[in-house]
Amino acid sequence: MRRIRQRLLLSFLAVVVAAILGLALVSGLVLRGTFLDRLELDMARQARELAVVLDAQTGLGSRLALDPPALETLARESARAAEVRFTIIAHDGRVLADSDEDPAAMENHATRPEVVTALSGGEGLSRRYSTTVDTEMLYVAVPLSESNAPWSRGVLRIAVPSSRIDPLLRSVLALPLWVGLVLLAPALGFTYLLSRSMTRPIEYLRSMAVAVSKGDLTYRVGAMRNDELGELGEALNDMAGQLEERMGQLVAEREQIAEILAVMGDGVLVLDDCGTVARANKTAATLLDTTVAALEGRAIVHVAREFPALALAERTFHAGIPIEEYLELPGARTMWVQAVPLRESIGRGRYVLILFRDETARARVDRMRRDFVSNVSHELKTPLAGLSLLATTLQHAVDEDPVEARRFARRLSDEISQLTNLVNDLLTLSRLEETAAAQGPPLEPVDLGRLAREAEEAMAEQAASRGLSLAVSSARTVFVAGHAVELETALRNLLDNALRYTDPGGHVDVDVHVEDGWAVLVVRDDGLGIPRSDQPRIFERFYRVDKARSRETGGTGLGLSIVRHVVERHRGSVNVESTLGVGSTFTVRLPLLSPDRREPGR
């Protein structure tokens, strides 16, 4: 605003100075003409008076006529007295006498304008530059009367420099100039106040524009004058208010969209037609093993090389319709992806919305469910077929061969026991999976040593019937937080597995101890052992290393799977070390319960 104010002040000052100077110039020209006219009138009067003097001198005698120096003396004395230049010119234009120059050296004046006019009987006036005296001169010439003198019917001319009026002209012009200079100061003050009153509203409007451009939409200008600037200020206030309201709506919508994207379980990417990520949410960054900051503003091929987002976007742009499919990515990952083309708008370009989520776990569950159904069907089909066959055979053998019928009845009872065990194990596994997904009963202190000793007593008869040695070694008390029934089931399954796959004369040992803050349960046998290639899968459902022996011994293929579920529910781990033909060692590690929490109910 200072520059506008300065320009206004300088412009006003220039106008005032130009007006004063113009007025002085015009006044000077007018006054100079007036003064010159007045001077010419005075000169004409003086010329007429001198002409009368010459006529009088002529009448007294002929001395002036006969003595040219006397005539020159008269001219000089008269010129000195009147402060003019006198020139006496004969009727033929010869200069007879001059108050300033030697007449003999002067040229003929018959052609001078004022002389020509005077020779014709009038008063000649002329203003011109004189080469003789090198200045502008005023000339007034009057005719002389006829006489016997040399100047008879000649001309008397008076010349005065035009600069004679300059002192008077300067003195006259000085007053308005001084008055103008005196009035210039208050005029400048008034101009400053006027410019300030004009530029201050503009300054307020400028401050508002700068504030709004920097994002301060709450800035307003105060009450202004009732003129165009006031109307402009009110319009800007209204505009800022509308911008603030709309910006608030946009910010609220943006925050709402950001919150929606943040809580979405699906990954969200918005790509332009060049493959640059315009928007991404946290889920997308997590699935692509990066961050939102690393995604947005960068080409997707540089951030997620294994994810074919650019190819999907190009296919979507080409098709113009949404595309949905499942992708198999490296690392055995299954990804569901949907690409949707967004509506193109002017100046925004083309964009595509890509939604995706990791379906690896669901695909694995589906595979496990299919495998489970297939395995259950297979496991139930064999005993059911055996039961059907035995029942049919038993019907014929009851009457024909009672001894054989009793054998078939025993086999029928064994098949029913096998089927019952299978169903019980399936129910146990199902119960464990359901309680794992939901909130189970509260944990309680459980002594693993006591469970091991009770299991030894319960399975001693089974071990003896197989000709095996079963021994338990345990510290006095090894407490864990858990469910006694589930832990007992897991321990008995480990012992049952060891007894089934150990030949007569073998040994099965159980050891319970504390190691590095963990309760450790070890079941060791010197049985058949497990091939290394099968060890990673033995905890899967229905997986059997030796299917013939498992069926022969009555195994269901679910015991070790139940063990894994129980241990994982108790935040522990189970692993196996086995050598084929030497034996196997199963080690279960569970969090040790601190002594201050071993009382029931705590």
Side-chain angles (χ1 to χ4, degrees):
M1 291 305 103
R2 291 183 178 179
R3 288 176 292 180
I4 295 179
R5 190 177 301 166
Q6 290 173 358
R7 286 198 293 269
L8 287 175
L9 287 174
L10 292 177
S11 300
F12 182 80
L13 178 62
V15 170
V16 171
V17 171
I20 293 175
L21 293 178
L23 179 62
L25 178 62
V26 172
S27 301
L29 293 176
V30 172
L31 290 175
R32 188 171 188 275
T34 302
F35 290 165
L36 290 177
D37 291 342
R38 182 61 180 271
L39 182 59
E40 287 176 345
L41 293 177
D42 292 342
M43 291 170 61
R45 179 180 55 77
Q46 291 178 350
R48 287 192 294 272
E49 291 177 353
L50 187 56
V52 172
V53 172
L54 284 177
D55 289 340
Q57 292 290 336
T58 301
L60 294 175
S62 59
R63 185 177 63 85
L64 295 177
L66 299 175
D67 187 7
L71 183 61
E72 291 180 8
T73 301
L74 175 64
R76 284 194 296 270
E77 290 177 353
S78 299
R80 187 180 303 112
E83 296 182 351
V84 296
R85 178 183 178 186
F86 282 110
T87 305
I88 301 174
I89 304 170
H91 67 280
D92 57 358
R94 289 180 298 105
V95 178
L96 299 177
D98 188 89
S99 60
D100 293 345
E101 301 293 336
D102 182 9
M106 297 177 67
E107 61 184 3
N108 191 288
H109 282 37
T111 59
R112 299 291 195 272
E114 67 279 3
V115 175
V116 172
T117 302
L119 290 176
S120 62
E123 290 184 357
L125 302 175
S126 178
R127 300 175 187 175
R128 68 175 182 276
Y129 186 81
S130 173
T131 58
T132 304
V133 295
D134 194 23
T135 187
E136 184 184 19
M137 301 292 291
L138 298 179
Y139 297 97
V140 176
V142 296
L144 296 175
S145 59
E146 184 176 358
S147 65
N148 57 358
W151 56 81
S152 175
R153 293 184 294 109
V155 175
L156 173 62
R157 189 183 72 174
I158 297 178
V160 175
S162 61
S163 59
R164 174 171 293 185
I165 66 172
D166 290 346
L168 178 60
L169 185 62
R170 283 195 295 270
S171 63
V172 172
L173 291 179
L175 180 61
L177 288 176
W178 280 108
V179 172
L181 291 177
V182 171
L183 295 178
L184 184 61
L188 287 178
F190 174 75
T191 304
Y192 173 79
L193 295 177
L194 180 62
S195 64
R196 185 178 179 183
S197 65
M198 294 177 60
T199 58
R200 180 172 293 178
I202 300 176
E203 188 172 353
Y204 291 156
L205 296 177
R206 174 183 173 276
S207 300
M208 177 181 178
V210 172
V212 171
S213 67
K214 293 181 179 180
D216 185 8
L217 300 180
T218 62
Y219 194 97
R220 299 289 186 276
V221 293
M224 300 179 64
R225 304 178 307 186
N226 295 324
D227 55 9
E228 290 80 358
L229 290 178
E231 294 176 357
L232 179 59
E234 293 178 0
L236 288 178
N237 284 338
D238 294 340
M239 181 186 69
Q242 295 178 6
L243 285 176
E244 182 181 9
E245 182 179 357
R246 293 178 182 177
M247 187 60 67
Q249 294 175 353
L250 290 176
V251 171
E253 292 177 359
R254 185 179 181 87
E255 291 177 352
Q256 185 178 17
I257 293 174
E259 291 177 359
I260 293 174
L261 291 178
V263 300
M264 284 186 63
D266 293 346
V268 178
L269 291 177
V270 179
L271 304 183
D272 61 12
D273 50 6
C274 297
T276 302
V277 180
R279 194 72 181 269
N281 68 343
K282 186 176 181 180
T283 304
T286 302
L287 291 176
L288 299 178
D289 194 23
T290 182
T291 62
V292 175
L295 276 173
E296 293 183 343
R298 297 186 60 188
I300 187 65
V301 295
H302 295 159
V303 185
R305 299 180 182 274
E306 298 177 350
F307 186 60
L310 183 58
L312 282 170
E314 292 175 349
R315 288 169 52 196
T316 305
F317 285 138
H318 180 72
I321 58 175
I323 295 177
E324 181 178 348
E325 61 184 33
Y326 285 87
L327 302 177
E328 296 295 333
L329 301 181
R333 297 177 65 193
T334 301
M335 198 78 72
W336 170 84
V337 181
Q338 183 181 34
V340 181
L342 300 180
R343 185 176 60 184
E344 184 176 359
S345 60
I346 299 176
R348 196 175 69 111
R350 298 187 303 169
Y351 288 87
V352 62
L353 172 66
I354 297 180
L355 304 175
F356 60 101
R357 62 174 173 265
D358 192 347
E359 293 287 326
T360 305
R362 191 183 66 81
R364 183 172 63 252
V365 170
D366 289 343
R367 273 195 310 271
M368 292 175 61
R369 184 180 294 109
R370 289 193 298 269
D371 293 344
F372 178 74
V373 172
S374 176
N375 291 331
V376 169
S377 300
H378 178 73
E379 292 295 332
L380 291 177
K381 180 181 179 181
T382 301
L384 288 176
L387 289 174
S388 177
L389 179 61
L390 287 173
T392 302
T393 305
L394 184 58
Q395 288 178 355
H396 298 288
V398 169
D399 297 328
E400 298 175 1
D401 191 352
V403 176
E404 191 68 17
R406 285 192 294 273
R407 187 174 67 82
F408 285 143
R410 286 192 299 270
R411 289 186 58 188
L412 183 61
S413 178
D414 293 340
E415 290 294 337
I416 292 175
S417 297
Q418 175 73 10
L419 187 59
T420 301
N421 292 335
L422 175 61
V423 172
N424 289 334
D425 285 347
L426 286 174
L427 291 175
T428 300
L429 194 58
S430 176
R431 187 183 70 254
L432 290 172
E433 290 179 343
E434 289 178 358
T435 53
Q439 182 70 29
L443 302 179
E444 58 185 10
V446 178
D447 186 359
L448 283 184
R450 182 176 60 82
L451 286 182
R453 290 188 292 272
E454 291 176 355
E456 178 188 16
E457 294 176 1
M459 305 191 72
E461 183 178 351
Q462 180 182 348
S465 66
R466 294 178 181 273
L468 302 175
S469 170
L470 177 59
V472 174
S473 172
S474 172
R476 178 174 297 180
T477 56
V478 179
F479 281 93
V480 296
H483 304 289
V485 175
E486 294 180 4
L487 292 174
E488 181 182 2
T489 301
L491 177 56
R492 290 197 178 192
N493 280 337
L494 287 175
L495 291 176
D496 182 70
N497 187 75
L499 295 175
R500 289 179 187 276
Y501 291 95
T502 302
D503 291 332
H507 301 80
V508 177
D509 298 322
V510 179
D511 181 29
V512 180
H513 62 277
V514 177
E515 181 179 319
D516 297 332
W518 291 88
V520 181
L521 170 67
V522 180
V523 178
R524 185 181 299 107
D525 65 67
D526 52 5
L528 300 178
I530 305 171
R532 182 176 297 275
S533 60
D534 292 320
Q535 291 180 18
R537 301 191 60 189
I538 61 173
F539 294 102
E540 296 180 7
R541 300 170 182 174
F542 299 112
Y543 188 82
R544 297 183 178 91
V545 177
D546 188 346
K547 293 181 175 59
R549 185 181 180 95
S550 175
R551 181 164 301 281
E552 180 182 338
T553 58
T556 63
L558 295 174
L560 292 181
S561 181
I562 292 174
V563 171
R564 178 175 63 85
H565 276 77
V566 171
V567 172
E568 289 179 353
R569 266 179 47 79
H570 288 74
R571 296 174 298 160
S573 64
V574 58
N575 59 72
V576 61
E577 295 178 2
S578 181
T579 303
L580 195 62
V582 176
S584 302
T585 300
F586 286 83
T587 303
V588 176
R589 293 177 177 272
L590 298 173
L592 185 66
L593 188 64
S594 58
D596 59 339
R597 298 183 56 193
R598 291 179 183 176
E599 296 180 9
R602 296 192 63 178

